[in-house]
Amino acid sequence: IRGSDSSGPGAATTADLIKYQTRLSVAQGEVGRCKKLSLSVETRLAGKKLIEEANGKLTAAEEKVNDVVKAVEALSSTPPSTASSAAAPTEDGKEKEQEEPDKATKEAEAAAAEASTNLKNFSRYLELQLKKTGGKEEIEKFQDRVEKAQGRLDGCHRAIKDRSEKQLVAGMLQESTLRVSTAEDNVKKVAEAEKPLSVENSPIEDAIKALGDLEAAVTAATNAAGNAKTFLAMKRLAAKRLGEAARNSTNEALVTLQERLNAASATLAERKKGMLERKTATIKREIVAAMQEAEKKIEEAADTTKGLTNVTEMSAEDMKNACEKAAASQKQAQGVVDTTRSLLQSRQREAKAACEAGSPLLSEVSKHLEQCTKLQAALDKQCRVLREQEHKFVAQRLLKDAIALVDGLEKKLETTTEKAAPLASDDLGEVTGLMFLSYMVDILKQYASATKKSTKELFAELSENTGKLNEVRFVKAMTKLLEREENKDLFFSEDQQKAAFRSMLMKDGGAEISEAEFAPHFRSRYMVSCQVSMTDHLTVKGGKTVRKLEENEVVEALEEPVKEGAGLLRVKARAEKDDKQGYVTISGNQGTLYLETYSQFTASQKEIDSQLQELADTAKEALRYIESKTDELKSARLGPLAETKAELLKMRPRISRVTQSQTDLRQKVTASQKKLSEIVEAEKRSRLEAMEKKAAAALLEEITAAEAQAKSDVEKTASMVEALVKNGSVEGDDPLADISKAEKEVEAAASSVDSATSLINEKLSSTKGAGKGPLGEARSTLVKLKVSLGSIDSRCKKLAASLKAASSRIASEGYDIAVTALKAQMQSSSASADQLFKELSGGGEEVKAEGLRSFLSKIAAGKFKSGQLELAMESLAKASKKFAFLEMLQEYKDCVKEIALTDGFAVKDSKTIRKILVGETVEVLESAKVDAAVDLPRIKCRALADGVVGWVTLRGNQGTAYLEDGSKPYLRCEQEVPLQVAFEESSAEARKAAAGEVFEVLEGPRKEPALEILRIRGKAKKDGKTGWVTLKDSAGVEFLVPHTRLLICSQSIALTAGFDISEGKAVRKLDVGEPLEQLDDEVEDPQKKLFRIRVKTSRDEEGWITVKGTQGTAFAEPMENVFMCNRAVPLEARVAVGSAAIRTLETGEVFEATDGPKSESKEGAKRAQGRSLKDGSVGWFTVNPKIVVPWSSQS
């Protein structure tokens, strides 16, 4: 404006601006004045607020001072309390002053302290505000009020202090007076305690008690006086801290109290002097009384001990009582002596502490101590006498018991030796007789039970009604019984029977026995094998126990055994030991045997074993007794106990001899028992051998007959089968009928062999445990016969197998005839296998057996043997479904050596179409025929690889094979595969073949020609993944197309909200290189001659930018090498197609190229045409070995 021309168009504008400047200056002056006025008002308001605040604080402090004044006035009307100023003694005997004021004083002091703090705080507050704000005049007014309040507060402090001193002085004097009075009272108690000691001839117990009371009173008085003296001294020191008036009055009172205390202490000293004489006299009386009591007790103990002089004439009980009485008397005397000695020693220590060395009391105490020592020696002598007498008595009792024990042991040895004599002797006749008797009695009991005869009737029969049974009659009767059927396996010699009878005779030496002597052997008796209870009822539950039956006890059955409710076998019995009767369990439900049948032989054995064991236990017990007593007397070296120990040691050899005798006797008994067991076993073996011989003979007779019959049947059948089946085939018009008949004969022979083998196995199982002997030999023969039958059975199986093979050959020949006939029919009618199946199935899914049989009967009439077609139908029926039917009629060959495929049958006249390569598969269209001109077998076939039809030679003149039998090829999809309409991989897709779907190969597999593919490398904008993609495939399909709507900012330019650059609001400035997405087509602004487009930034901001300026400057340009995905395509790791996939680019994705495009030559895919077994649809698919794999109908 300054530089503009004043006469120009802007002159008016300049004048207006000057006017505005003037008005603005005036307004600024007014604003300044108002600001100063505002500051002055604020200052005055702050000062007023400060004065009001200070006045409030001071008023509160003055109120606190007024409260203190009121509290002090209240104190002046109340006398001071002294209860809280009392001194209390501490645990160590010293005294601690309690100078705490009373409650009212404490409250006044607290109020005064609080008021003083408030005044000080207010003073500091005034000083601070004076420094900050000034206002000295107003603040000085507050200072005057503060000084007045402080003066009043100081006066209150002085009044409180005076009251506290008065209260303290009163408490000190009160407690001091109490302490002095206590001391004076204790001195008076000393005088009272002296009075009982002034009584002459008082009992010594009373004198001692009075002396103790006096000593306690003197001690208490001394302590009280000392404590009072210390307390007064402390209070004199405390008084020095008081004011002068209070200090003087307090000292005067304390001096008066000290004079009273001194007088009491003097009186106490006089009392102590008189107490010493009384104490000495009393102690002398106490010592004399104690010594007299000790002497009296020792005399009593001596009188008691004299009664032990003659131990041999006293019984054990009397001796025990006398020893206990003497010991008690000596113990009582020892207690009195110990008490007296302790008393003397105590008085001696007191005398030494209180008197000089030569005082009469000390010498008298020493004299009594010497006398006490003599009394102790006399008492010790009495104790030794008592101990010696006790030892002598114990020694006699020990020796007497040991002698009785060893004598009893030796006597028991004699009894046991006598009882075991039959077993210990070399002659076991008596023992074996008892054993045979037990067998004979069992036979007689079984006979009586079978014939229902009583014991009396049985005896009458044995004794021939003579009333007496002798040896001859017994042997005669037993011989008859052993001939009975139930006893035919038993054998007892005449000597054994006589030995049994001798065991039945009584020991009186007679030759005959009566019925009374015979009957006990037939009583129903049991021996207890395991401890069991005898109860009063049959049922165990609820019954009361009569008593426990011990092992080896004998009981007699009173009734027949029965089972009670719990399933236990019980019997009512009488115990022979004490005639107690009750019910006893024979066997438990868990198999425990409590009672076993009584046998005199078994009872005798158990009794001997029991006595031998009892003797051994007694010997061990006796030896343990001697050793324990000897060990107890180990320390005894002299006197009766030492002599007894020597006698006990002499008894050990006697016990050892008994133990050795028992061991020898046990060995003899054991040897005899072993010998007896051998006799029993030998007897059992002889009887068992006889039984086994008989059983073995019967067993072999039956088995031998069965084996011979089976062998005969097989030989007969073999002759027939061998005549029927010659050279592996069956001749005749009706071979199937002949085979059926032969099979039945073989089956019958095999059944005969199986029966014989089962019989042998049964007998082998029954004789499984047989060792040596007749049964063992018979078992060996059975094993040999079984081996023989095994070879016969093998021959039967071979015969059956040959018949089955012949039948299979006939069926196979019939199958071949049928298949050949069907193929011939296909050739004659020029029909394919599919067409033939459709004809036979009538358009259905399978060929019916009846229709196929009828069809074959027509086309192959006269070619089948009788029944051969029926056998073939079993195999043909398996091909009723289309898949199996086609496999049956279609024949495939695999090339094993390269051979020419020609256009004609004759080798010489035909031309080569192409070579069949090794590994190729061909379908046989016509069966092999021989080219007579060259003598080579030829077949017409179709190459699956390309469908070319021609003729191929099967084998060369030298036998070289060109084609071998192969199987029809199938492929299975491991995952979903596209099924296309043509050979080319780029052809249209018919459908997707599902995973697991199987295809019959119709043509191929063969490869496509090599393909040219364009590949580029780059980065996906969506996630930054990099890799290779196909730009265009061999069929010309474009997967990526250039992206024309992506721009890049080449010059910094503003992004505006609207199209018009002058009206639109700027969103932000775009940076160079920033990518943009074009949203609409380019629009021209005709006025400004600019080109504008609407875009979207990477931050999702939308707006308008200038693409080209007025001078032609380009602000945004299309991005190069940016493509958009036209259809889904895999992003792969390498340039090679089919390499590892990173991910799939989706349609519409942006891809920025960084390398390429590159041309890649891709090997053609291996393609095959197939027919789905699922729905019969036909199509082409790529054979990738990872996705499509070979499949077999057998898998």
Side-chain angles (χ1 to χ4, degrees):
I1 293 173
R2 286 195 187 108
S4 62
D5 189 357
S6 58
S7 60
T13 303
T14 302
D16 291 338
L17 289 175
I18 291 171
K19 290 178 183 179
Y20 292 146
Q21 182 66 40
T22 303
R23 291 173 61 188
L24 181 62
S25 298
V26 172
Q28 286 178 340
E30 290 295 323
V31 169
R33 188 177 63 80
C34 291
K35 281 184 178 180
K36 290 179 181 179
L37 181 61
S38 174
L39 289 173
S40 176
V41 172
E42 289 178 357
T43 302
R44 286 198 297 271
L45 289 174
K48 183 178 180 182
K49 183 178 180 182
L50 176 64
I51 291 170
E52 290 176 353
E53 183 179 355
N55 184 55
K57 289 184 177 183
L58 180 57
T59 301
E62 288 173 340
E63 289 177 357
K64 293 289 184 183
V65 173
N66 291 334
D67 292 341
V68 174
V69 172
K70 291 178 183 178
V72 171
E73 290 175 353
L75 283 175
S76 61
S77 62
T78 305
S81 173
T82 61
S84 61
S85 64
T90 60
E91 292 182 0
D92 58 359
K94 296 180 181 180
E95 292 159 352
K96 179 180 177 184
E97 262 191 39
Q98 304 288 337
E99 298 183 352
E100 296 180 0
D102 57 12
K103 183 177 179 181
T105 305
K106 285 172 65 177
E107 291 177 353
E109 288 177 346
E114 184 180 2
S116 179
T117 301
N118 287 343
L119 286 174
K120 289 178 180 178
N121 290 338
F122 183 74
S123 296
R124 284 196 292 271
Y125 172 76
L126 287 179
E127 292 175 359
L128 180 62
Q129 296 303 323
L130 183 62
K131 291 177 181 178
K132 285 183 178 180
T133 61
K136 186 175 180 182
E137 296 177 357
E138 295 295 334
I139 291 175
E140 285 179 349
K141 294 178 181 178
F142 287 117
Q143 289 285 9
D144 294 339
R145 290 173 61 188
V146 170
E147 290 175 359
K148 289 179 182 179
Q150 187 64 49
R152 294 174 66 200
L153 184 60
D154 291 342
C156 291
H157 275 300
R158 287 192 295 273
I160 292 171
K161 183 178 179 182
D162 291 343
R163 179 178 175 82
S164 297
E165 283 187 351
K166 290 179 182 179
Q167 185 177 355
L168 180 61
V169 168
M172 289 169 59
L173 294 179
Q174 182 180 356
E175 181 62 19
S176 299
T177 303
L178 178 62
R179 295 298 180 102
V180 173
S181 299
T182 301
E184 290 172 341
D185 292 341
N186 284 332
V187 171
K188 291 178 182 178
K189 290 179 181 178
V190 171
E192 293 294 328
E194 282 182 336
K195 292 180 181 179
L197 290 175
S198 61
V199 179
E200 296 182 359
N201 299 325
S202 62
I204 186 62
E205 293 81 3
D206 295 344
I208 292 171
K209 183 177 181 303
L211 180 61
D213 293 342
L214 177 59
E215 289 178 341
V218 169
T219 301
T222 302
N223 291 337
N227 292 338
K229 183 177 179 181
T230 302
F231 187 79
L232 290 176
M234 291 173 62
K235 295 308 174 184
R236 283 196 294 271
L237 290 174
K240 292 179 180 180
R241 297 194 296 270
L242 301 174
E244 183 178 358
R247 183 170 61 250
N248 292 335
S249 61
T250 302
N251 285 334
E252 290 176 2
L254 290 175
V255 168
T256 302
L257 291 173
Q258 185 65 50
E259 290 174 353
R260 287 173 58 191
L261 180 61
N262 292 340
S265 298
T267 304
L268 179 62
E270 290 297 326
R271 297 292 182 188
K272 284 182 179 181
K273 292 178 182 178
M275 185 187 73
L276 183 58
E277 296 176 359
R278 294 186 181 88
K279 181 177 180 181
T280 302
T282 305
I283 290 173
K284 287 180 179 180
R285 288 182 62 198
E286 179 186 18
I287 291 172
V288 170
M291 289 299 295
Q292 290 174 353
E293 179 67 18
E295 290 171 353
K296 178 182 177 183
K297 293 297 181 182
I298 288 175
E299 289 177 1
E300 291 176 356
D303 293 339
T304 308
T305 307
K306 287 178 183 179
L308 300 173
T309 54
N310 192 359
V311 177
T312 56
E313 297 179 359
M314 298 178 67
S315 65
E317 187 65 28
D318 292 342
M319 184 62 190
K320 178 183 176 183
N321 293 334
C323 289
E324 290 177 352
K325 184 177 179 182
S329 180
Q330 289 176 5
K331 183 178 181 181
Q332 188 177 11
Q334 184 64 57
V336 174
V337 169
D338 291 342
T339 303
T340 303
R341 186 187 297 108
S342 298
L343 175 64
L344 291 173
Q345 290 171 348
S346 174
R347 297 309 182 190
Q348 187 181 45
R349 286 193 296 272
E350 293 175 0
K352 285 179 180 180
C355 306
E356 296 181 357
S359 66
L361 179 60
L362 187 59
S363 60
E364 188 170 353
V365 170
S366 299
K367 178 181 177 182
H368 283 296
L369 276 172
E370 293 175 1
Q371 187 179 358
C372 187
T373 303
K374 294 178 182 179
L375 292 175
Q376 182 64 56
L379 182 59
D380 292 342
K381 183 178 179 181
Q382 294 176 21
C383 290
R384 285 194 297 274
V385 171
L386 174 61
R387 189 162 53 252
E388 288 173 0
Q389 295 300 326
E390 286 179 338
H391 286 178
K392 190 174 181 180
F393 174 73
V394 170
Q396 289 177 355
R397 295 300 303 174
L398 273 177
L399 189 57
K400 183 178 179 181
D401 292 345
I403 291 171
L405 181 62
V406 175
D407 289 345
L409 179 63
E410 291 173 340
K411 186 174 182 182
K412 193 170 191 64
L413 174 62
E414 293 175 4
T415 305
T416 305
T417 303
E418 181 181 355
K419 182 68 178 177
L423 270 178
S425 65
D426 295 333
D427 182 13
L428 296 176
E430 183 177 343
V431 180
T432 54
L434 283 173
M435 179 183 68
F436 291 132
L437 177 60
S438 66
Y439 294 151
M440 305 296 176
V441 168
D442 287 342
I443 294 171
L444 290 170
K445 285 182 178 179
Q446 291 173 9
Y447 172 69
S449 176
T451 58
K452 297 182 180 180
K453 290 186 178 182
S454 63
T455 304
K456 183 175 183 180
E457 291 171 340
L458 179 61
F459 180 76
E461 182 179 340
L462 296 178
S463 64
E464 298 177 354
N465 295 317
T466 60
K468 294 290 183 178
L469 179 62
N470 57 23
E471 185 179 275
V472 175
R473 296 189 186 103
F474 180 79
V475 172
K476 179 181 177 182
M478 288 307 303
T479 303
K480 274 187 177 183
L481 288 176
L482 290 172
E483 292 174 354
R484 289 174 61 89
E485 180 65 26
E486 65 269 18
N487 300 324
K488 62 181 181 179
D489 294 332
L490 302 177
F491 174 78
F492 292 99
S493 66
E494 185 175 339
D495 291 338
Q496 291 172 343
Q497 296 176 34
K498 289 179 179 179
F501 181 76
R502 286 194 296 271
S503 298
M504 196 181 292
L505 292 171
M506 299 297 289
K507 292 186 179 181
D508 57 4
E512 297 178 334
I513 60 173
S514 63
E515 183 182 343
E517 295 167 341
F518 177 80
H521 293 283
F522 294 87
R523 291 201 327 237
S524 183
R525 301 166 78 194
Y526 295 95
M527 180 176 286
V528 179
S529 57
C530 182
Q531 189 185 63
V532 65
S533 297
M534 175 184 281
T535 62
D536 59 351
H537 284 89
L538 175 63
T539 55
V540 176
K541 188 175 181 180
K544 293 183 180 179
T545 300
V546 176
R547 76 173 180 87
K548 290 281 187 181
L549 297 179
E550 300 298 330
E551 189 176 352
N552 295 333
E553 270 197 68
V554 178
V555 297
E556 181 182 0
L558 302 178
E559 296 176 1
E560 289 297 320
V562 292
K563 280 194 175 182
E564 57 99 53
L568 302 176
L569 186 63
R570 306 262 288 167
V571 66
K572 185 175 183 181
R574 176 183 62 83
E576 294 187 354
K577 181 178 178 180
D578 55 6
D579 287 338
K580 293 281 187 182
Q581 293 186 12
Y583 291 88
V584 186
T585 301
I586 296 177
S587 60
N589 48 24
Q590 300 297 322
T592 305
L593 186 66
Y594 297 102
L595 300 181
E596 60 182 52
T597 305
Y598 175 82
S599 164
Q600 189 174 349
F601 171 71
T602 305
S604 175
Q605 295 271 36
K606 287 191 174 182
E607 186 177 359
I608 291 171
D609 288 341
S610 176
Q611 287 194 7
L612 283 171
Q613 186 60 45
E614 186 178 347
L615 177 61
D617 294 342
T618 305
K620 288 179 183 178
E621 187 63 33
L623 185 60
R624 277 198 296 269
Y625 176 80
I626 296 298
E627 288 177 347
S628 66
K629 296 306 177 185
T630 304
D631 190 59
E632 290 174 7
L633 300 177
K634 186 189 298 183
S635 59
R637 304 187 180 279
L638 297 172
L641 292 179
E643 295 171 359
T644 300
K645 180 174 70 173
E647 291 297 325
L648 290 175
L649 290 173
K650 292 177 183 179
M651 293 182 185
R652 293 182 65 177
R654 292 173 61 187
I655 297 174
S656 298
R657 285 194 293 274
V658 172
T659 302
Q660 185 60 46
S661 298
Q662 188 271 344
T663 302
D664 295 341
L665 187 58
R666 167 67 78 183
Q667 290 176 351
K668 288 181 180 180
V669 169
T670 302
S672 296
Q673 288 176 336
K674 183 178 179 182
K675 186 176 179 181
L676 193 60
S677 297
E678 291 173 355
I679 294 171
V680 172
E681 289 301 320
E683 183 65 27
K684 286 181 179 178
R685 282 197 300 273
S686 65
R687 290 200 297 272
L688 185 61
E689 187 174 354
M691 293 168 59
E692 286 183 350
K693 282 182 179 180
K694 187 175 181 181
L699 183 147
L700 289 176
E701 182 180 356
E702 183 181 2
I703 296 300
T704 304
E707 188 265 349
Q709 181 63 44
K711 190 173 183 180
S712 173
D713 292 344
V714 172
E715 288 293 338
K716 180 180 177 182
T717 304
S719 299
M720 184 184 73
V721 173
E722 289 169 358
L724 179 64
V725 181
K726 294 179 180 179
N727 301 322
S729 62
V730 180
E731 303 297 334
D733 296 332
D734 195 356
L736 293 179
D738 295 338
I739 289 174
S740 177
K741 181 180 178 182
E743 284 177 342
K744 290 179 180 178
E745 292 294 332
V746 171
E747 185 177 349
S751 177
S752 178
V753 173
D754 289 342
S755 299
T757 303
S758 298
L759 186 59
I760 289 177
N761 288 334
E762 180 184 345
K763 299 302 180 183
L764 283 173
S765 178
S766 65
T767 59
K768 191 172 184 180
K772 296 180 180 179
L775 282 179
E777 294 172 0
R779 185 176 173 82
S780 299
T781 303
L782 288 176
V783 172
K784 293 176 183 178
L785 290 173
K786 185 176 180 180
V787 173
S788 175
L789 281 174
S791 62
I792 296 171
D793 184 58
S794 298
R795 190 174 182 188
C796 273
K797 289 178 180 176
K798 288 180 181 178
L799 294 172
S802 65
L803 290 173
K804 187 174 182 180
S807 179
S808 297
R809 279 192 294 275
I810 294 172
S812 179
E813 291 170 359
Y815 178 81
D816 291 342
I817 293 170
V819 172
T820 302
L822 289 171
K823 288 182 177 179
Q825 179 65 22
M826 288 167 55
Q827 292 177 8
S828 63
S829 60
S830 300
S832 65
D834 280 340
Q835 291 170 338
L836 181 59
F837 177 80
K838 187 173 182 181
E839 178 186 347
L840 293 177
S841 64
E845 294 184 356
E846 64 177 323
V847 176
K848 300 297 183 182
E850 288 299 326
L852 181 60
R853 183 185 293 106
S854 176
F855 185 73
L856 287 172
S857 298
K858 292 177 182 178
I859 65 174
K863 295 181 180 180
F864 293 106
K865 295 180 181 180
S866 176
Q868 192 174 27
L869 177 58
E870 292 301 322
L871 285 178
M873 285 304 297
E874 293 181 6
S875 300
L876 292 170
K878 297 176 182 177
S880 61
K881 298 288 186 180
K882 183 176 182 180
F883 173 74
F885 187 84
L886 296 182
E887 273 205 336
M888 179 180 71
L889 296 181
Q890 290 175 330
E891 184 180 357
Y892 291 85
K893 299 283 185 181
D894 294 331
C895 180
V896 294
K897 190 171 183 180
E898 191 175 284
I899 186 66
L901 178 70
T902 64
D903 59 356
F905 170 71
V907 176
K908 292 182 179 181
D909 300 333
S910 59
K911 294 181 181 180
T912 300
I913 301 173
R914 71 174 180 86
K915 291 284 188 180
I916 300 295
L917 303 178
V918 175
E920 272 197 69
T921 301
V922 299
E923 180 184 3
V924 179
L925 301 178
E926 292 185 16
S927 300
K929 296 187 291 183
V930 177
D931 184 355
V934 290
D935 194 23
L936 294 174
R938 305 267 284 168
I939 62 168
K940 187 177 182 181
C941 63
R942 181 175 65 88
L944 286 187
D946 52 8
V948 176
V949 177
W951 292 84
V952 176
T953 300
L954 287 177
R955 288 183 302 278
N957 291 327
Q958 303 300 320
T960 303
Y962 297 104
L963 300 178
E964 290 183 350
D965 290 339
S967 58
K968 186 173 184 178
Y970 295 92
L971 293 174
R972 186 183 68 188
C973 300
E974 294 296 301
Q975 60 189 53
E976 193 175 68
V977 174
L979 191 64
Q980 295 165 307
V981 298
F983 171 73
E984 293 75 17
E985 192 176 18
S986 59
S987 63
E989 182 180 308
R991 69 176 179 87
K992 293 283 188 183
E997 193 169 347
V998 178
F999 286 86
E1000 171 192 357
V1001 178
L1002 302 178
E1003 187 176 335
R1006 68 174 185 271
K1007 287 187 177 181
E1008 281 186 305
L1011 306 174
E1012 292 294 327
I1013 298 174
L1014 287 178
R1015 302 272 284 174
I1016 60 171
R1017 185 182 184 189
K1019 178 172 67 175
K1021 287 292 186 180
K1022 179 179 180 180
D1023 55 9
K1025 299 281 186 181
T1026 61
W1028 291 85
V1029 296
T1030 300
L1031 182 64
K1032 182 187 295 185
D1033 66 7
S1034 59
V1037 177
E1038 290 186 337
F1039 292 94
L1040 299 177
V1041 295
H1043 201 312
T1044 58
R1045 302 187 76 81
L1046 286 179
L1047 306 176
I1048 186 166
C1049 184
S1050 55
Q1051 297 286 335
S1052 180
I1053 188 70
L1055 177 70
T1056 62
F1059 172 77
D1060 192 337
I1061 194 171
S1062 59
E1063 295 180 359
K1065 180 181 178 183
V1067 177
R1068 68 178 178 87
K1069 199 90 165 180
L1070 299 180
D1071 298 326
V1072 175
E1074 188 170 350
L1076 303 169
E1077 181 183 355
Q1078 182 177 339
L1079 300 179
D1080 296 321
D1081 294 335
E1082 189 176 282
V1083 181
E1084 182 181 4
D1085 186 345
Q1087 294 181 356
K1088 298 182 174 58
K1089 298 182 179 180
L1090 301 174
F1091 290 93
R1092 305 269 286 171
I1093 58 172
R1094 193 164 69 88
V1095 297
K1096 183 179 181 181
T1097 69
S1098 58
R1099 302 180 189 176
D1100 291 336
E1101 301 163 326
E1102 293 186 8
W1104 291 82
I1105 64 168
T1106 300
V1107 181
K1108 187 183 295 184
T1110 57
Q1111 301 299 322
T1113 303
F1115 294 97
E1117 298 176 347
M1119 295 179 67
E1120 296 179 356
N1121 297 325
V1122 178
F1123 297 86
M1124 184 172 67
C1125 189
N1126 198 31
R1127 62 174 61 186
V1129 61
L1131 178 66
E1132 296 170 329
R1134 292 188 298 277
V1135 67
V1137 176
S1139 60
I1142 297 171
R1143 73 174 181 86
T1144 300
L1145 297 182
E1146 299 172 357
T1147 302
E1149 270 199 67
V1150 178
F1151 187 79
E1152 182 180 357
T1154 58
D1155 190 10
K1158 290 186 178 181
S1159 176
E1160 184 199 1
S1161 178
K1162 179 186 176 185
E1163 184 180 359
K1166 187 183 286 188
R1167 303 278 286 171
Q1169 185 186 37
R1171 176 165 49 208
S1172 173
L1173 299 185
K1174 177 181 177 182
D1175 57 7
S1177 59
V1178 177
W1180 289 85
F1181 52 88
T1182 300
V1183 182
N1184 185 334
K1186 294 182 180 179
I1187 300 174
V1188 179
V1189 297
W1191 181 82
S1192 169
S1193 60
Q1194 306 301 321
S1195 59

